[in-house]
Amino acid sequence: QKEVEQNSGPLSVPEGAIASLNCTYSDRGSQSFFWYRQYSGKSPELIMSIYSNGDKEDGRFTAQLNKASQYVSLLIRDSQPSDSATYLCAVNGLNTGGFKTIFGAGTRLFVKA
Amino acid sequence: NAGVTQTPKFRILKIGQSMTLQCTQDMNHNYMYWYRQDPGMGLKLIYYSVGAGITDKGEVPNGYNVSRSTTEDFPLRLELAAPSQTSVYFCASMRGNEQFFGPGTRLTVL
């Protein structure tokens, strides 16, 4: 089992729709959870972090965490063509010493105009 | 602030050649990382450092070496390049839990 698993996609949604990206992780001791966005040919950039169960909203982005199910998700409301990118789920946990981040392979998102 | 800078942007190596990928950050971060990203894959940790003079192996360290003589610089050394090392290499530094990435080095070994 991979430590951080994501559906590779591509996920295609029309402009204005909600894009839902999902991620599961294997380390029950994981404490910090992140979503990075990576445009083609560019480096990853942090867009959301979440540390406790529930929802965290930032503009059009909502991160959801369920530690019991070892599940993290990212919702993008009112999706725009500029949201087309690969989204990497990332996890820090006790097994990684708290300062090493394990990344998933990423989900490619296409937003059609 | 320039953030995290990497040089070179692109490089083609022949099998068996050596090179150093440079990484510098001007944010005074203690934690620094080297990752490789193969096509369609996530980031794999090669080496990391928690401060000047302290380095440790990540998931995929074979074929690489690092040093950390200053807070700012964290170079990655490839001693005997192999085709399996063809990849995009990212350097990152961390503040709190957020990682800041450099623009990457695209390396091809032929």
Side-chain angles (χ1 to χ4, degrees):
Chain A
Q1 182 189 8
K2 292 181 182 177
E3 293 183 78
V4 178
E5 292 207 59
Q6 299 180 250
N7 187 324
S8 62
L11 173 65
S12 183
V13 300
E15 184 175 359
I18 295 175
S20 177
L21 306 167
N22 304 315
C23 170
T24 58
Y25 59 93
S26 60
D27 177 10
R28 283 198 170 274
S30 298
Q31 298 171 323
S32 308
F33 307 86
F34 312 93
W35 285 98
Y36 284 80
R37 178 177 61 200
Q38 186 176 23
Y39 291 114
S40 180
K42 301 296 185 182
S43 55
E45 57 176 335
L46 182 69
I47 55 171
M48 289 289 287
S49 58
I50 187 166
Y51 304 101
S52 54
N53 281 331
D55 295 358
K56 178 182 178 182
E57 187 175 317
D58 184 359
R60 296 186 295 111
F61 298 98
T62 298
Q64 299 174 316
L65 174 61
N66 183 327
K67 289 186 178 180
S69 300
Q70 296 174 247
Y71 178 88
V72 193
S73 66
L74 178 70
L75 300 178
I76 306 174
R77 290 182 300 281
D78 188 23
S79 295
Q80 301 297 309
S82 58
D83 294 326
S84 297
T86 296
Y87 290 81
L88 303 172
C89 175
V91 175
N92 281 17
L94 292 176
N95 282 356
T96 62
F99 50 82
K100 286 192 286 182
T101 304
I102 304 298
F103 287 85
T107 298
R108 290 170 59 200
L109 173 65
F110 290 108
V111 181
K112 298 173 293 185
Chain B
N1 285 355
V4 180
T5 57
Q6 292 182 239
T7 57
K9 286 186 170 55
F10 304 94
R11 184 73 185 267
I12 298 175
L13 282 182
K14 294 182 179 178
I15 294 172
Q17 287 186 319
S18 301
M19 76 164 295
T20 299
L21 282 66
Q22 301 292 345
C23 175
T24 300
Q25 54 98 3
D26 62 358
M27 297 173 283
N28 201 35
H29 293 164
N30 285 322
Y31 294 99
M32 294 189 73
Y33 306 83
W34 273 106
Y35 296 93
R36 60 176 288 172
Q37 186 175 38
D38 299 326
M41 305 295 288
L43 298 162
K44 297 294 185 186
L45 182 63
I46 305 171
Y47 270 95
Y48 66 97
S49 170
V50 300
I54 307 170
T55 63
D56 205 350
K57 297 176 180 178
E59 301 171 76
V60 290
N62 291 346
Y64 308 95
N65 276 299
V66 294
S67 60
R68 184 96 182 271
S69 57
T70 66
T71 299
E72 294 77 20
D73 300 307
F74 190 38
L76 178 71
R77 178 83 178 161
L78 283 72
E79 290 294 348
L80 292 170
S84 61
Q85 293 177 306
T86 293
S87 190
V88 179
Y89 291 83
F90 289 105
C91 178
S93 67
M94 188 165 77
R95 177 191 66 208
N97 279 311
E98 180 177 359
Q99 297 210 12
F100 298 84
F101 287 85
T105 294
R106 187 173 297 273
L107 175 66
T108 302
V109 182
L110 300 174

